[in-house]
Amino acid sequence: MENDHRVSGAVLAGGESLRMGVDKATMLVDGGFLIEKPLKALEAAGVESRAIIGGSSEVLKKTGSLVVPDRWPQQGPLGGILSALHFFKEQKCSVIVLACDLVLANENEIARLIQQAELFPHTVVVPEVQERRQWMHACWPPEALPHLEKAFSDGERAPFRAVHGFPVTSFKRDGNDFYKDLD
């Protein structure tokens, strides 16, 4: 997919998987690690620059993907999002951040997210399913970094609260298949 709006992709693998009891990112599903599903969906959607943020780097290196340490481990999803934005900072691009447990991740949904990010390039773009924003499948513009860092330094760890005061564009998605996770 070619577009003028530069987008990179990050899949968060740094969570503790407390409810699951095992590392979700490296669970075997359909002959591969669970984290490979969103990574392959990003690739199929044409997102060339991708990285795994956090997780067990030794195990995740087996995916063949770039593994980047989480700058703020055990600090919730906002720490992972910040780590992704910092990693791609020099590219001055928006970053699609996905959770590692999106079982049904697919390139069509990511392509639609990219399309929306092109239309609204200076806002956080987040899909909405059944009136709920899906923060772990959002596109974060580079301009969001200082705003999120301020919220983080003030103690916030939830993305939906950290964006308060920053432009957010959401778009409706009819079904919820993409957003089924293992929790």
Side-chain angles (χ1 to χ4, degrees), residues 30-93:
D30 296 333
F33 293 130
L34 178 58
I35 197 168
E36 291 176 296
K37 300 247 182 216
L39 285 167
K40 287 178 181 175
L42 285 165
E43 181 179 16
V47 178
E48 293 180 21
S49 188
R50 300 173 303 279
I52 296 171
I53 306 295
S56 171
S57 63
E58 290 308 310
V59 175
L60 293 173
K61 283 180 185 175
K62 294 178 183 177
T63 66
S65 297
L66 177 63
V67 181
V68 176
D70 189 340
R71 294 174 76 155
W72 296 278
Q74 283 91 40
Q75 295 298 310
L78 186 56
I81 292 166
L82 284 169
S83 293
L85 287 170
H86 271 280
F87 179 74
F88 290 109
K89 188 176 181 178
E90 297 303 314
Q91 292 184 23
K92 296 182 170 96
C93 62

Side-chain angles (χ1 to χ4, degrees), residues 106-117:
N106 70 73
E107 67 270 15
N108 295 328
E109 294 300 327
I110 293 169
R112 184 156 181 230
L113 184 60
I114 293 169
Q115 178 185 46
Q116 293 298 309

Side-chain angles (χ1 to χ4, degrees), residues 115-159:
Q115 178 185 46
Q116 293 298 309
E118 288 174 344
L119 293 171
F120 304 98
H122 306 290
T123 68
V124 176
V125 178
V126 59
E128 200 174 283
V129 175
Q130 298 176 352
E131 315 258 337
R132 292 185 61 193
R133 290 178 170 172
Q134 303 301 312
W135 294 103
M136 298 316 299
H137 178 232
C139 189
W140 301 84
E143 299 90 345
L145 183 58
H147 185 87
L148 296 175
E149 285 179 319
K150 169 78 170 91
F152 190 83
S153 69
D154 288 345
E156 188 55 65
R157 297 299 180 263

